[in-house]
């Protein structure tokens, strides 16, 4: 029962990150853009640190030596590559025009994109949150430490993505309050995602299911950080040295957080 409490409580907290779009209602586009890229940098550090300091070493401990862990990590990378292609997640990652739309400067573009963009974005977000809920529940099945690390890494990634998602919905023509509501409802998909894994584990060998999903989760973190987030940091917005230093500091902060959790877990 404790696993259920920890997992469902954590995924509900993760779902609340869908309300991060409300930040855009009080910030101007320039300030928001600066904040967004710092959050992306922190997410890169948290996801890389979570995968390389926690999930992959834990996977080797549980699966032993040999290629199995590496193959499962690669399976996670490939699975997210295919999923991203299928759902066209590229619409959700920090487009400057989406940020402008979220702050009320691009309403004239919304009608040209219309419902298809909003629908695709919502479908992609629901699928994304289902997977988030599943990987968080699977991590808690391994250990409390792994679950906490996974939850924090997922949240770090979700905050900037949800700001971008909110911008996409407004850019597509939705009013800000309706966009925030739809984003929150899509975020609640973390709960059935977690329940699915918990129920499957209850009917089969739960420990084996959790163990095999752990390196797949690590692979997904490596893919998202390397394929989606780091390229965002290397776009034209990141050329000034001061911004690069700030992003590096935030990446190190994310890695440092995961290192501290590692020390506390072994303390």
């Amino acid at each position: 029962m404790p696993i259920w409490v920890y997992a469902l409580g954590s995924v509900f907290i993760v779902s609340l990150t869908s309300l991060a779009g409300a930040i855009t209602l009080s910030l101007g586009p320039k300030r928001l853009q600066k904040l967004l890229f710092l959050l992306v940098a922190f997410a890169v550090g948290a996801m890389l640190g979570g995968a390389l300091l926690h999930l992959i070493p834990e996977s080797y401990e549980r699966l032993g030596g040999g290629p199995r862990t590496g193959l499962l990590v690669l399976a996670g990378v490939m699975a997210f590559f295919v999923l991203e292609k299928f759902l066209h997640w590229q619409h959700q990652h920090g487009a400057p025009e989406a940020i402008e739309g979220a702050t009320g400067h691009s309403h004239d573009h919304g009608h040209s994109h219309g419902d298809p963009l909003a629908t695709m974005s919502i479908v992609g977000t629901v699928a994304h949150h289902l997977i988030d809920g599943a990987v968080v529940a699977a991590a808690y099945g391994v250990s409390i430490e792994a679950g906490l690390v996974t939850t924090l890494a997922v949240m770090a990634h979700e905050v900037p993505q949800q700001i971008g998602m909110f911008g996409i919905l407004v850019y597509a023509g939705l009013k800000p309050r309706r966009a925030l509501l739809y984003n929150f409802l899509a975020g609640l998909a973390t709960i059935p995602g977690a329940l699915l894994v918990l129920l499957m584990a209850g009917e089969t060998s739960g420990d084996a299911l959790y163990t095999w999903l752990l390196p797949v989760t690590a692979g997904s973190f490596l893919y998202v950080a390397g394929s989606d987030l780091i390229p965002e940091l290397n776009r034209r917005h990141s050329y000034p040295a001061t911004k690069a230093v700030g992003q590096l500091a935030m990446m190190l902060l994310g890695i440092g957080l995961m290192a501290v959790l590692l020390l506390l877990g072994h303390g």
Side-chain angles (χ1 to χ4, degrees), residues 4-263:
W4 283 66
V5 174
Y6 284 123
L8 293 178
S10 293
V11 296
F12 179 72
I13 293 173
V14 169
S15 71
L16 294 180
T17 61
S18 60
L19 299 176
I23 296 173
T24 65
L25 299 177
S26 59
L27 297 177
K30 290 184 178 180
R31 190 181 302 175
L32 173 61
Q33 190 175 85
K34 181 178 180 180
L35 173 64
L36 187 63
F37 280 94
L38 289 176
L39 290 172
V40 168
F42 177 79
V44 169
M47 299 192 87
L48 291 178
L52 297 173
L53 298 179
H54 291 268
L55 304 185
I56 292 178
E58 179 76 20
S59 298
Y60 273 109
E61 286 184 13
R62 297 175 71 91
L63 292 171
R68 280 190 300 178
T69 294
L71 288 173
L72 288 170
V73 172
L74 289 173
V77 172
M78 293 296 101
F80 266 66
F81 172 77
V82 172
L83 188 60
E84 184 171 42
K85 288 295 184 182
F86 181 73
L87 295 174
H88 303 289
W89 280 357
Q90 62 268 27
H91 289 300
Q92 298 184 29
H93 293 291
E97 58 203 5
I99 295 173
E100 293 173 1
T103 52
H105 294 282
S106 295
H107 290 292
D108 56 321
H109 295 290
H111 300 292
S112 65
H113 289 266
D115 290 338
L117 175 58
T119 301
M120 177 59 71
S121 297
I122 292 171
V123 170
T125 300
V126 169
H128 183 78
H129 280 292
L130 283 169
I131 295 170
D132 283 345
V135 299
V136 168
Y140 271 114
V142 173
S143 67
I144 300 300
E145 177 191 340
L148 180 60
V149 165
T150 302
T151 300
L152 291 176
V154 167
M155 287 181 65
H157 167 52
E158 283 297 328
V159 170
Q161 177 167 314
Q162 292 307 319
I163 292 175
M165 174 60 181
F166 176 75
I168 287 290
L169 293 179
V170 175
Y171 181 71
L174 296 179
K175 293 183 178 180
R177 289 188 179 182
R178 185 174 293 273
L180 199 62
L181 175 62
Y182 285 176
N183 216 21
F184 175 67
L185 293 177
L188 292 177
T190 54
I191 296 175
L195 284 172
L196 179 62
V197 170
L198 293 170
L199 291 172
M200 289 176 61
E203 296 177 359
T204 60
S205 177
D207 190 62
L209 176 63
Y210 295 139
T211 298
W212 284 72
L213 282 177
L214 199 64
V216 174
T217 301
S220 73
F221 283 4
L222 293 176
Y223 176 82
V224 170
S227 176
D228 292 342
L229 302 185
I230 291 178
E232 286 294 322
L233 299 180
N234 288 328
R235 295 177 66 174
R236 59 184 175 86
H237 308 284
S238 305
Y239 285 167
T242 53
K243 289 187 178 181
V245 171
Q247 289 171 0
L248 177 60
M250 292 299 289
M251 288 175 64
L252 292 175
L253 181 62
I255 294 172
L257 175 61
M258 293 301 160
V260 168
L261 290 174
L262 183 65
L263 293 175

